[in-house]
Amino acid sequence: MANTDSSGISFTAYYTGEVWRQHGLSLDAFKTPQGKTLYYLGQPFEKMARAVAGFSTQTTLLQRHHIIDYVVKKAIKEQGVTQIVEIACGLSPRGVRFCQEFPDLHYIEADLPDMLAHKQRLLAEHGLLSKRHRVVGINILEENTPDALAVVFKRELDPTRKTLVITEGLINYFDYATISGFWNNLAQVLKQFPAGAYVSDLYPNFTWHPVTKVINAFVFGLAFATQSRVTLHFNNQQEIITSFKQLGFAHTQVHIPEAYYGSLAIPTQRGASLVRVIENWV
Ligand SMILES: C[S@@+](CC[C@H](N)C(=O)[O-])C[C@H]1O[C@@H](n2cnc3c(N)ncnc32)[C@H](O)[C@@H]1O
């Protein structure tokens, strides 16, 4: 049986969660000792990266979170999406923020068992769970188990609602053969709803970027720390669009941070941005 244990990635969610909180995007409900420790340990590296390369991990974490928020809000307001599943939610505050802003929205947060149990406890302690804001277990690597994507969607979702799935900070931890299996399954299950969308961040392969060596060193370190196969899957925008078409998505749009520098409150950086947000509709 294929290895379906990717829990080595989970600790990084605490770092991101604290970055969001320190920048006013999250709530005190998601303040954790793990997040604070990782955040302060990471500061010297973040400062050094900013000085040497003109950006840091935090830059891309904030860029991707703001742009995903923007794209998803647009899908709610303009396309009538009323059901969202945030897979690999970690300590994302989006479910809380969006349920407060959109009274008709159903929001399901999904993750591996340990992270999910922690998230559920934090949400429950602060009275933030409700019938329309729930947590469920999902493992994107499993098939035909109670935590497999298709099984969870059939059991937990309302098939009459326009549905959007989010992943953030997940896909680059897997090689293409593995993550494309998830994307294929996702396109199939999303076709069962009146409308289906998938929004995610991704880091393409920047072989041309002036700081390629810094990026490669970071990728190597991250793969080692998380015991995963960190992979930059695509070489350019056209490759992203072509691949998602082959995977079963009818329309793909690639959002680039530079396009939002004037309009969203995202940090800018010296040199070209590194993160992309993809918006796919089936
Ligand atoms: C880098 S964190 C990202 C969390 C959050 N979305 C963020 O941006 O901070 C990766 C998340 O993926 C979850 N995860 C790892 N492997 C997974 C899998 N096979 N299926 C679902 N979630 C997984 C981890 O538990 C963790 O919460």
Side-chain angles (χ1 to χ4, degrees):
M1 194 180 138
N3 180 14
T4 56
D5 181 10
S6 51
S7 56
I9 302 167
S10 296
F11 79 90
T12 58
Y14 290 104
Y15 181 72
T16 318
E18 187 60 18
V19 171
W20 291 328
R21 212 182 62 78
Q22 294 282 344
H23 290 83
L25 286 172
S26 190
L27 305 100
D28 277 348
F30 301 128
K31 189 172 169 179
T32 63
Q34 298 96 314
K36 276 193 95 169
T37 307
L38 287 170
Y39 183 81
Y40 287 108
L41 286 175
Q43 286 324 287
F45 298 100
E46 295 278 358
K47 272 197 190 119
M48 197 170 68
R50 262 194 297 272
V52 174
F55 63 90
S56 66
T57 321
Q58 284 189 23
T59 313
T60 64
L61 294 178
L62 296 170
Q63 287 177 342
R64 79 186 195 198
H65 198 74
H66 274 294
I67 298 173
I68 293 175
D69 271 5
Y70 171 80
V71 170
V72 175
K73 279 187 190 183
K74 203 157 176 275
I76 295 170
K77 289 179 193 162
E78 294 178 11
Q79 305 299 328
V81 163
T82 58
Q83 182 163 248
I84 292 179
V85 186
E86 186 165 356
I87 296 180
C89 59
L91 294 181
S92 169
R94 191 175 283 117
V96 175
R97 288 196 279 103
F98 278 29
C99 280
Q100 284 165 355
E101 187 171 347
F102 302 103
D104 294 331
L105 192 64
H106 282 211
Y107 206 102
I108 291 111
E109 307 212 43
D111 208 305
L112 297 177
D114 288 352
M115 178 55 74
L116 193 74
H118 194 173
K119 183 78 179 274
Q120 179 162 29
R121 203 177 65 237
L122 296 175
L123 288 166
E125 274 169 12
H126 292 82
L128 293 167
L129 287 172
S130 68
K131 247 171 88 175
R132 58 184 194 94
H133 184 187
R134 297 178 288 131
V135 296
V136 301
I138 264 191
N139 185 334
I140 62 154
L141 305 180
E142 290 185 1
E143 306 260 353
N144 303 318
T145 70
D147 283 355
L149 182 79
V151 178
V152 172
F153 272 44
K154 196 162 186 330
R155 190 181 65 225
E156 303 285 346
L157 300 194
D158 178 347
T160 66
R161 286 176 178 264
K162 292 185 178 178
T163 297
L164 182 148
V165 169
I166 302 170
T167 59
E168 182 173 7
L170 178 71
I171 63 183
N172 289 100
Y173 288 102
F174 301 95
D175 59 25
Y176 190 77
T178 307
I179 200 66
S180 61
F182 162 64
W183 286 331
N184 241 317
N185 288 342
L186 184 58
Q188 293 317 310
V189 295
L190 281 174
K191 285 178 185 150
Q192 294 157 14
F193 298 93
Y198 170 53
V199 177
S200 181
D201 65 318
L202 67 78
Y203 296 85
N205 199 357
F206 285 98
T207 41
W208 50 268
H209 203 284
V211 293
T212 305
K213 282 198 180 127
V214 179
I215 299 169
N216 289 344
F218 181 74
V219 165
F220 184 79
L222 190 62
F224 180 75
T226 56
Q227 301 151 45
S228 67
R229 298 191 174 185
V230 177
T231 309
L232 308 176
H233 304 110
F234 304 102
N235 289 311
N236 54 53
Q237 180 156 329
Q238 193 49 51
E239 230 177 81
I240 299 174
I241 293 170
T242 309
S243 301
F244 278 96
K245 192 151 204 111
Q246 283 166 359
L247 288 160
F249 293 92
H251 306 284
T252 296
Q253 204 182 333
V254 181
H255 299 268
I256 296 176
E258 279 84 341
Y260 296 95
Y261 278 177
S263 56
L264 296 181
I266 54 177
T268 59
Q269 68 191 65
R270 206 169 73 214
S273 63
L274 297 179
V275 70
R276 302 288 176 261
V277 170
I278 48 163
E279 176 184 3
N280 295 302
W281 292 83
V282 291

Short mmCIF file of all heavy atoms in Angstrom, two decimals, residues 125-151:
data_model
loop_
_atom_site.label_atom_id
_atom_site.label_comp_id
_atom_site.label_asym_id
_atom_site.label_seq_id
_atom_site.Cartn_x
_atom_site.Cartn_y
_atom_site.Cartn_z
N GLU A 125 -13.22 25.93 22.13
CA GLU A 125 -12.94 26.73 23.33
C GLU A 125 -13.42 28.17 23.17
O GLU A 125 -13.76 28.83 24.14
CB GLU A 125 -11.43 26.75 23.60
CG GLU A 125 -10.94 25.57 24.41
CD GLU A 125 -9.41 25.48 24.44
OE1 GLU A 125 -8.73 26.46 24.04
OE2 GLU A 125 -8.91 24.43 24.84
N HIS A 126 -13.40 28.67 21.94
CA HIS A 126 -13.80 30.06 21.70
C HIS A 126 -15.21 30.16 21.12
O HIS A 126 -15.58 31.22 20.59
CB HIS A 126 -12.77 30.75 20.79
CG HIS A 126 -11.45 30.93 21.48
ND1 HIS A 126 -10.50 29.93 21.57
CD2 HIS A 126 -10.94 31.97 22.16
CE1 HIS A 126 -9.47 30.36 22.24
NE2 HIS A 126 -9.70 31.60 22.63
N GLY A 127 -15.96 29.07 21.20
CA GLY A 127 -17.36 29.09 20.75
C GLY A 127 -17.50 29.39 19.27
O GLY A 127 -18.46 30.03 18.85
N LEU A 128 -16.56 28.92 18.46
CA LEU A 128 -16.55 29.31 17.05
C LEU A 128 -17.08 28.22 16.11
O LEU A 128 -17.10 28.41 14.91
CB LEU A 128 -15.12 29.71 16.64
CG LEU A 128 -14.60 30.99 17.30
CD1 LEU A 128 -13.09 31.14 17.08
CD2 LEU A 128 -15.32 32.22 16.76
N LEU A 129 -17.49 27.07 16.68
CA LEU A 129 -18.05 26.03 15.82
C LEU A 129 -19.57 26.17 15.75
O LEU A 129 -20.19 26.64 16.70
CB LEU A 129 -17.67 24.64 16.35
CG LEU A 129 -16.21 24.24 16.16
CD1 LEU A 129 -15.90 22.95 16.90
CD2 LEU A 129 -15.86 24.11 14.68
N SER A 130 -20.14 25.76 14.64
CA SER A 130 -21.60 25.83 14.51
C SER A 130 -22.03 24.82 13.46
O SER A 130 -21.17 24.14 12.87
CB SER A 130 -22.03 27.23 14.07
OG SER A 130 -21.59 27.44 12.75
N LYS A 131 -23.33 24.76 13.18
CA LYS A 131 -23.79 23.82 12.17
C LYS A 131 -23.20 24.14 10.80
O LYS A 131 -22.99 23.28 9.97
CB LYS A 131 -25.33 23.87 12.09
CG LYS A 131 -25.97 22.58 12.57
CD LYS A 131 -27.44 22.70 12.69
CE LYS A 131 -28.16 22.37 11.41
NZ LYS A 131 -29.62 22.39 11.57
N ARG A 132 -22.95 25.45 10.57
CA ARG A 132 -22.41 25.79 9.25
C ARG A 132 -20.90 26.01 9.24
O ARG A 132 -20.31 26.34 8.22
CB ARG A 132 -23.16 26.96 8.63
CG ARG A 132 -23.16 28.22 9.40
CD ARG A 132 -24.01 29.29 8.75
NE ARG A 132 -23.69 30.56 9.37
CZ ARG A 132 -22.81 31.40 8.90
NH1 ARG A 132 -22.15 31.14 7.79
NH2 ARG A 132 -22.56 32.54 9.53
N HIS A 133 -20.26 25.82 10.38
CA HIS A 133 -18.79 25.87 10.41
C HIS A 133 -18.30 24.66 11.19
O HIS A 133 -18.36 24.61 12.41
CB HIS A 133 -18.31 27.17 11.08
CG HIS A 133 -16.81 27.32 11.05
ND1 HIS A 133 -16.15 28.32 11.69
CD2 HIS A 133 -15.84 26.59 10.44
CE1 HIS A 133 -14.84 28.20 11.48
NE2 HIS A 133 -14.64 27.15 10.73
N ARG A 134 -17.81 23.65 10.43
CA ARG A 134 -17.47 22.36 11.05
C ARG A 134 -16.05 21.96 10.70
O ARG A 134 -15.43 22.54 9.80
CB ARG A 134 -18.41 21.27 10.51
CG ARG A 134 -19.87 21.48 10.85
CD ARG A 134 -20.74 20.41 10.24
NE ARG A 134 -20.89 20.53 8.81
CZ ARG A 134 -20.71 19.53 7.93
NH1 ARG A 134 -20.36 18.33 8.34
NH2 ARG A 134 -20.91 19.71 6.65
N VAL A 135 -15.56 20.94 11.40
CA VAL A 135 -14.26 20.37 11.03
C VAL A 135 -14.46 18.88 10.71
O VAL A 135 -15.26 18.22 11.35
CB VAL A 135 -13.22 20.52 12.17
CG1 VAL A 135 -12.91 21.97 12.46
CG2 VAL A 135 -13.66 19.83 13.44
N VAL A 136 -13.70 18.40 9.71
CA VAL A 136 -13.76 16.96 9.38
C VAL A 136 -12.35 16.47 9.03
O VAL A 136 -11.50 17.24 8.57
CB VAL A 136 -14.69 16.65 8.17
CG1 VAL A 136 -16.11 17.09 8.42
CG2 VAL A 136 -14.16 17.25 6.89
N GLY A 137 -12.12 15.18 9.23
CA GLY A 137 -10.83 14.59 8.88
C GLY A 137 -10.76 14.30 7.39
O GLY A 137 -11.73 13.83 6.80
N ILE A 138 -9.61 14.64 6.79
CA ILE A 138 -9.36 14.27 5.38
C ILE A 138 -7.88 13.93 5.24
O ILE A 138 -7.04 14.61 5.83
CB ILE A 138 -9.71 15.43 4.40
CG1 ILE A 138 -11.12 15.26 3.83
CG2 ILE A 138 -8.72 15.50 3.25
CD1 ILE A 138 -11.44 16.18 2.68
N ASN A 139 -7.61 12.90 4.45
CA ASN A 139 -6.23 12.65 4.04
C ASN A 139 -6.23 12.55 2.53
O ASN A 139 -6.81 11.62 1.96
CB ASN A 139 -5.71 11.34 4.66
CG ASN A 139 -4.24 11.13 4.34
OD1 ASN A 139 -3.73 11.62 3.33
ND2 ASN A 139 -3.55 10.40 5.20
N ILE A 140 -5.61 13.52 1.87
CA ILE A 140 -5.69 13.58 0.40
C ILE A 140 -4.99 12.40 -0.27
O ILE A 140 -5.13 12.19 -1.47
CB ILE A 140 -5.10 14.90 -0.17
CG1 ILE A 140 -3.61 15.03 0.18
CG2 ILE A 140 -5.89 16.11 0.28
CD1 ILE A 140 -2.85 15.90 -0.81
N LEU A 141 -4.20 11.65 0.49
CA LEU A 141 -3.47 10.52 -0.10
C LEU A 141 -4.24 9.21 -0.02
O LEU A 141 -3.84 8.22 -0.59
CB LEU A 141 -2.11 10.35 0.61
CG LEU A 141 -1.21 11.57 0.65
CD1 LEU A 141 0.09 11.26 1.38
CD2 LEU A 141 -0.90 12.06 -0.77
N GLU A 142 -5.36 9.23 0.71
CA GLU A 142 -6.09 7.97 0.91
C GLU A 142 -7.20 7.78 -0.13
O GLU A 142 -7.75 8.74 -0.64
CB GLU A 142 -6.67 7.93 2.33
CG GLU A 142 -5.58 7.79 3.37
CD GLU A 142 -6.11 7.64 4.79
OE1 GLU A 142 -7.34 7.62 5.00
OE2 GLU A 142 -5.26 7.54 5.69
N GLU A 143 -7.51 6.53 -0.41
CA GLU A 143 -8.62 6.17 -1.31
C GLU A 143 -9.47 5.15 -0.57
O GLU A 143 -8.93 4.24 0.07
CB GLU A 143 -8.09 5.50 -2.58
CG GLU A 143 -7.05 6.30 -3.33
CD GLU A 143 -7.61 7.05 -4.52
OE1 GLU A 143 -8.80 6.84 -4.84
OE2 GLU A 143 -6.87 7.83 -5.11
N ASN A 144 -10.77 5.28 -0.67
CA ASN A 144 -11.70 4.28 -0.11
C ASN A 144 -11.58 4.07 1.39
O ASN A 144 -11.82 2.98 1.88
CB ASN A 144 -11.52 2.92 -0.82
CG ASN A 144 -11.71 3.03 -2.30
OD1 ASN A 144 -12.61 3.73 -2.75
ND2 ASN A 144 -10.83 2.40 -3.05
N THR A 145 -11.13 5.07 2.12
CA THR A 145 -11.14 5.00 3.59
C THR A 145 -12.13 6.08 4.07
O THR A 145 -12.53 6.94 3.27
CB THR A 145 -9.76 5.31 4.20
OG1 THR A 145 -9.50 6.71 3.98
CG2 THR A 145 -8.65 4.48 3.57
N PRO A 146 -12.50 6.09 5.36
CA PRO A 146 -13.44 7.13 5.81
C PRO A 146 -12.88 8.55 5.64
O PRO A 146 -13.65 9.51 5.57
CB PRO A 146 -13.62 6.79 7.31
CG PRO A 146 -13.29 5.34 7.41
CD PRO A 146 -12.24 5.06 6.38
N ASP A 147 -11.54 8.71 5.54
CA ASP A 147 -10.95 10.05 5.38
C ASP A 147 -10.59 10.37 3.92
O ASP A 147 -9.95 11.39 3.65
CB ASP A 147 -9.69 10.18 6.24
CG ASP A 147 -10.03 10.40 7.71
OD1 ASP A 147 -11.23 10.53 8.03
OD2 ASP A 147 -9.10 10.44 8.54
N ALA A 148 -10.94 9.50 2.98
CA ALA A 148 -10.63 9.75 1.57
C ALA A 148 -11.55 10.86 1.04
O ALA A 148 -12.71 10.99 1.46
CB ALA A 148 -10.81 8.48 0.76
N LEU A 149 -11.01 11.63 0.09
CA LEU A 149 -11.72 12.80 -0.44
C LEU A 149 -13.17 12.49 -0.87
O LEU A 149 -14.12 13.12 -0.39
CB LEU A 149 -10.92 13.34 -1.63
CG LEU A 149 -11.45 14.58 -2.30
CD1 LEU A 149 -11.09 15.82 -1.50
CD2 LEU A 149 -10.90 14.71 -3.71
N ALA A 150 -13.32 11.51 -1.77
CA ALA A 150 -14.65 11.24 -2.32
C ALA A 150 -15.61 10.77 -1.23
O ALA A 150 -16.80 11.13 -1.23
CB ALA A 150 -14.55 10.18 -3.42
N VAL A 151 -15.09 10.00 -0.29
CA VAL A 151 -15.94 9.47 0.79
C VAL A 151 -16.40 10.61 1.71
O VAL A 151 -17.58 10.72 2.06
CB VAL A 151 -15.14 8.40 1.61
CG1 VAL A 151 -15.97 7.86 2.75
CG2 VAL A 151 -14.67 7.28 0.69
#
